[in-house]
Amino acid sequence: MIIDCHGHYTTAPKALELFRKAQIAALTDPKAPARSFKASDDEVRETLVPAQLKLQIERGTDLALFSPGAGRMSHHIGNFETSSEWSRVCNDLIAQVCRIYPKNFVGVCQLPQSPGVEPKTCIPELERCVNELGFIGCNLNPDPSGGYWKDPPLIDRWWYPLYEKMVELDVPAMVHVAASCNPNFHGTGAHYINGDTSAFMQFVTSDLFKDFPTLKFIIPHGGGAVPYHWGRYRGLAQDMKRPPLTELLKNVFFDTCVYHQKGVDLLTSVVPVENVLFASEMVGAVKGVDPETGHRFDDTRRYIDGAAHLSAPQRHQIFEQNARRVYGRLNKVLAQRGLA
Amino acid sequence: MIIDCHGHYTTAPKALELFRKAQIAALTDPKAPARSFKASDDEVRETLVPAQLKLQIERGTDLALFSPGAGRMSHHIGNFETSSEWSRVCNDLIAQVCRIYPKNFVGVCQLPQSPGVEPKTCIPELERCVNELGFIGCNLNPDPSGGYWKDPPLIDRWWYPLYEKMVELDVPAMVHVAASCNPNFHGTGAHYINGDTSAFMQFVTSDLFKDFPTLKFIIPHGGGAVPYHWGRYRGLAQDMKRPPLTELLKNVFFDTCVYHQKGVDLLTSVVPVENVLFASEMVGAVKGVDPETGHRFDDTRRYIDGAAHLSAPQRHQIFEQNARRVYGRLNKVLAQRGLA
């Protein structure tokens, strides 16, 4: 089984966008009409069959850990109530996807974060998604302000109540920023990657995982800049008298959303194979075909297959085994669906 | 000749730090005593002989393009007057270094940037450094706010008067942030790398180099995350109907401050060799010895020598020729010193 741990429902029905627009309009217009969102199962099928499902078949991948569009989380908009309503709608839609296509998708939730609001307020929605909707992970935004980085770093006690709940529920978080509203940061080309790099370096400087030995984070987009600068991070940790990076790798994992062969070669030869989880982010940041290869940039399976230094068992770890280990609830969910 | 295009005077005499502390104290204490800074030539020698000069000899590198400490630029402190005084002091000290050791150092200046202040205010100091002190480049901070990214992006017309002057003087800028005062960003482990990544993506989205066909930027720290995500950037440019990245490479260059062999292998096999400039950042971000190699992490010459796919002429490009081409005033300065 090939498990893609990083997929967003970027192709969601147009009505979802209209709902969000109405929600945003109502923030400043008290007379805005009441709003609701509901997609029929057919509408959901129409958005997945020619996109994620088609690509799964073409690429021979089996299952995506599927979450709402990441950019569209836009936690910087409105307040906690805004994010709360928006998260419920988006997460319910993911649950609908998983109900219609139980062989293809397992849910990962968006959290109702809001700038300056304590992360513990996200606990009820996390519990709802895990306990009621059968989700197995969450996306955690290290910068709810959308590019101004005004909240405390991920290693601050500000986040601890949420971490306690994640540990209790046995769900990891993918550290994933949302849209950038800072003109200095292009979303998918800068803010996403910076968020990854910044989170990793926060972890390097902290004893967070002494406090939470079983807390797990996946850093997407191949870990931002981290594997490329692995020597820098090893050296910084050493200069700062921090433990070697290998200590951190008990709790921190990287996905394979790196869109060329040499990048994936680097990732999989620098980071231990047991810390690398297959992912493509499709349909996501980069949609086009690479003229150098004739294949889509985000067809990352080809790069794992093409990494000559990997053995077949190592590929199996990256494609399947690591996801089953890091997402502690995945095996049970798959068993319930008869996919064990 | 081996030219290291990225060195900061991080080992400057202690008195410089005391001057800065007095300057900062005076911002809030009108009764603070008058301050001045002067280092004797012997004091300068004492800080360089056991550090940068010793390492140049050990590593067999010849010349460093040398600028004031980057973190210490701290443009977020005080106002334009603060940055102006601080820049003059720091740049004069670099000029003193170059006078004492003309075979070893060529000057690159700090600019008196200040958050919210138009970059054109930096022109007099740039002119002074180039025309009077013989400097050949400048460090340009894309985020004078020190981690909150409040000023316009580098592609905004806000920066254009300074670019006009850079073009007129034929000096490139290294895009280099200063210290981070945002607890989310470790300085050398996150803010530096994010600054590099963000600047490159700004360039991808803009027609800046149509307006300034001869403007040149060096992106340090191996280009942040960019070479590792080269496929992502190629794909984003293509999806956005922007020119291919090769167009950008007429104006944008990368240094080799990547502290492990596999990172340098990636950089030099993904980015065209004519766009890679040798650099070590010594004595800088990472000072220790890599236990895996027995050599210092920042001894980047070893990685260039160790990159098996590079030919001798290609190494010569990286070590010397590219710097002579990108820093348009370098050859003349070296000739004046009898080092042509």
Side-chain angles (χ1 to χ4, degrees):
Chain A
M1 186 182 290
I2 296 186
I3 301 167
D4 182 340
C5 79
H6 186 177
H8 303 293
Y9 195 6
T10 51
T11 59
K14 184 80 176 170
L16 186 69
E17 190 185 329
L18 298 177
F19 171 86
R20 179 63 159 167
K21 280 185 177 163
Q23 190 200 27
I24 293 168
L27 288 171
T28 50
D29 176 8
K31 291 180 191 162
R35 60 191 174 272
S36 68
F37 171 79
K38 192 166 166 26
S40 70
D41 286 359
D42 276 347
E43 283 170 319
V44 169
R45 287 187 191 100
E46 284 160 17
T47 64
L48 291 167
V49 168
Q52 287 85 354
L53 288 171
K54 174 170 169 276
L55 293 171
Q56 280 188 3
I57 293 165
E58 280 179 14
R59 300 180 186 182
T61 64
D62 300 289
L63 186 81
L65 309 192
F66 208 53
S67 60
R72 293 173 197 172
M73 295 191 297
S74 288
H75 294 115
H76 62 277
I77 295 174
N79 54 27
F80 173 74
E81 294 308 320
T82 318
S83 280
S84 202
E85 181 189 37
W86 178 231
S87 296
R88 278 196 307 273
V89 164
C90 291
N91 290 329
D92 284 346
L93 183 59
I94 295 294
Q96 187 177 358
V97 167
C98 297
R99 175 177 54 72
I100 303 173
Y101 294 108
K103 292 185 182 173
N104 303 91
F105 299 103
V106 173
V108 166
C109 71
Q110 168 178 337
L111 295 173
Q113 296 176 251
S114 191
V117 178
E118 290 186 84
K120 70 180 177 193
T121 55
C122 297
I123 291 174
E125 180 63 3
L126 177 64
E127 287 187 307
R128 187 182 78 92
C129 289
V130 173
N131 291 330
E132 297 176 28
L133 305 182
F135 289 16
I136 63 165
C138 60
N139 290 331
L140 184 65
N141 185 348
D143 171 32
S145 73
Y148 291 95
W149 294 89
K150 292 177 182 167
D151 278 19
L154 293 178
I155 54 180
D156 193 279
R157 285 179 178 271
W158 174 256
W159 302 90
Y160 273 28
L162 181 60
Y163 296 160
E164 283 165 17
K165 184 55 67 176
M166 284 169 53
V167 165
E168 180 197 316
L169 294 172
D170 193 16
V171 293
M174 178 169 282
V175 179
H176 204 308
V177 296
S180 163
C181 55
N182 185 328
N184 280 285
F185 302 133
H186 183 273
T188 50
H191 190 42
Y192 279 29
I193 305 293
N194 293 350
D196 306 334
T197 306
S198 302
F200 184 81
M201 191 62 202
Q202 291 174 12
F203 298 146
V204 169
T205 62
S206 135
D207 285 329
L208 175 62
F209 301 115
K210 277 193 185 159
D211 292 337
F212 295 101
T214 61
L215 184 65
K216 283 177 249 163
F217 292 106
I218 299 96
I219 304 193
H221 321 109
V226 171
Y228 175 48
H229 285 287
W230 199 243
R232 189 178 189 88
Y233 291 99
R234 287 201 295 112
L236 283 169
Q238 182 175 292
D239 283 1
M240 296 164 78
K241 317 279 185 217
R242 297 292 311 163
L245 299 187
T246 43
E247 275 298 302
L248 218 52
L249 296 180
K250 295 172 184 167
N251 304 85
V252 178
F253 302 84
F254 300 91
D255 85 6
T256 66
C257 292
V258 176
Y259 296 156
H260 62 146
Q261 185 66 55
K262 283 174 180 158
V264 170
D265 288 348
L266 177 91
L267 168 65
T268 53
S269 60
V270 166
V271 174
V273 163
E274 54 268 32
N275 285 75
V276 178
L277 275 66
F278 176 69
S280 72
E281 210 183 346
M282 65 95 165
V283 177
V286 178
K287 295 175 186 66
V289 170
D290 185 348
E292 292 184 8
T293 65
H295 301 289
R296 285 182 198 263
F297 282 103
D298 68 359
D299 186 356
T300 51
R301 181 182 171 178
R302 290 181 179 275
Y303 311 133
I304 303 296
D305 285 338
H309 63 285
L310 293 175
S311 65
Q314 287 179 319
R315 285 197 188 91
H316 182 48
Q317 282 182 282
I318 293 171
F319 280 137
E320 178 176 358
Q321 289 177 311
N322 294 338
R324 287 182 181 269
R325 196 178 76 249
V326 172
Y327 289 84
R329 301 176 79 97
L330 178 56
N331 280 335
K332 196 170 154 196
V333 166
L334 292 180
Q336 283 166 346
R337 296 182 186 181
L339 299 168
Chain B
M1 185 185 289
I2 296 186
I3 301 168
D4 182 340
C5 80
H6 187 176
H8 303 294
Y9 195 6
T10 50
T11 58
K14 184 80 175 170
L16 185 70
E17 189 185 329
L18 299 177
F19 170 86
R20 178 64 158 168
K21 280 186 178 162
Q23 191 201 26
I24 293 168
L27 288 172
T28 49
D29 177 8
K31 292 183 190 159
R35 59 190 176 273
S36 68
F37 171 77
K38 192 167 165 26
S40 69
D41 286 359
D42 276 348
E43 283 170 319
V44 169
R45 287 187 190 100
E46 283 161 17
T47 64
L48 291 167
V49 169
Q52 287 86 353
L53 288 171
K54 174 170 170 275
L55 292 172
Q56 279 188 3
I57 293 165
E58 280 180 14
R59 300 179 187 183
T61 65
D62 299 289
L63 186 82
L65 309 192
F66 208 53
S67 60
R72 294 174 198 173
M73 296 191 296
S74 288
H75 294 116
H76 63 277
I77 295 174
N79 54 27
F80 173 74
E81 296 307 319
T82 317
S83 280
S84 202
E85 180 189 37
W86 178 230
S87 296
R88 279 197 307 275
V89 164
C90 290
N91 290 329
D92 284 346
L93 182 60
I94 295 294
Q96 187 178 358
V97 166
C98 297
R99 176 176 55 72
I100 303 172
Y101 294 107
K103 292 186 182 172
N104 303 92
F105 299 103
V106 173
V108 167
C109 71
Q110 168 177 337
L111 295 173
Q113 296 176 250
S114 191
V117 178
E118 290 187 83
K120 70 180 177 193
T121 55
C122 298
I123 291 175
E125 180 64 2
L126 178 64
E127 287 187 305
R128 187 182 79 90
C129 289
V130 173
N131 291 330
E132 297 176 27
L133 304 182
F135 288 16
I136 63 165
C138 60
N139 291 330
L140 184 65
N141 184 347
D143 171 32
S145 74
Y148 291 95
W149 294 89
K150 292 178 182 168
D151 279 18
L154 292 178
I155 54 178
D156 192 279
R157 286 178 177 270
W158 173 257
W159 302 88
Y160 273 29
L162 179 61
Y163 296 160
E164 284 166 16
K165 184 55 68 175
M166 284 169 53
V167 165
E168 180 197 316
L169 293 173
D170 193 16
V171 293
M174 179 171 280
V175 178
H176 204 308
V177 296
S180 163
C181 54
N182 185 327
N184 281 285
F185 302 133
H186 183 274
T188 50
H191 190 43
Y192 279 28
I193 305 294
N194 293 350
D196 306 335
T197 307
S198 302
F200 184 82
M201 190 62 202
Q202 291 175 12
F203 298 147
V204 169
T205 61
S206 138
D207 285 330
L208 175 63
F209 301 115
K210 278 194 184 159
D211 292 337
F212 295 100
T214 61
L215 184 65
K216 284 177 247 162
F217 291 106
I218 299 97
I219 305 194
H221 321 110
V226 171
Y228 175 48
H229 286 287
W230 199 244
R232 188 179 191 88
Y233 291 100
R234 287 201 296 111
L236 283 169
Q238 181 175 295
D239 283 0
M240 296 164 78
K241 318 279 186 216
R242 297 292 311 164
L245 299 187
T246 44
E247 275 298 302
L248 217 54
L249 296 180
K250 296 172 184 168
N251 304 86
V252 178
F253 302 84
F254 300 90
D255 85 6
T256 66
C257 293
V258 176
Y259 296 156
H260 62 147
Q261 185 66 55
K262 284 174 180 157
V264 170
D265 288 348
L266 177 91
L267 167 66
T268 54
S269 61
V270 166
V271 174
V273 163
E274 54 269 30
N275 285 74
V276 179
L277 276 66
F278 176 70
S280 72
E281 211 184 346
M282 68 95 163
V283 177
V286 178
K287 295 175 185 67
V289 170
D290 184 348
E292 291 184 8
T293 65
H295 302 289
R296 285 180 198 266
F297 282 103
D298 69 0
D299 186 356
T300 52
R301 181 181 171 177
R302 290 181 179 276
Y303 310 133
I304 304 295
D305 285 337
H309 63 285
L310 293 176
S311 65
Q314 288 179 318
R315 286 197 187 90
H316 182 48
Q317 283 182 283
I318 293 171
F319 280 138
E320 177 177 358
Q321 289 176 313
N322 294 339
R324 287 182 182 268
R325 196 177 76 249
V326 173
Y327 289 84
R329 301 176 79 98
L330 179 56
N331 280 335
K332 196 171 155 196
V333 166
L334 293 180
Q336 283 166 346
R337 297 182 185 181
L339 298 168

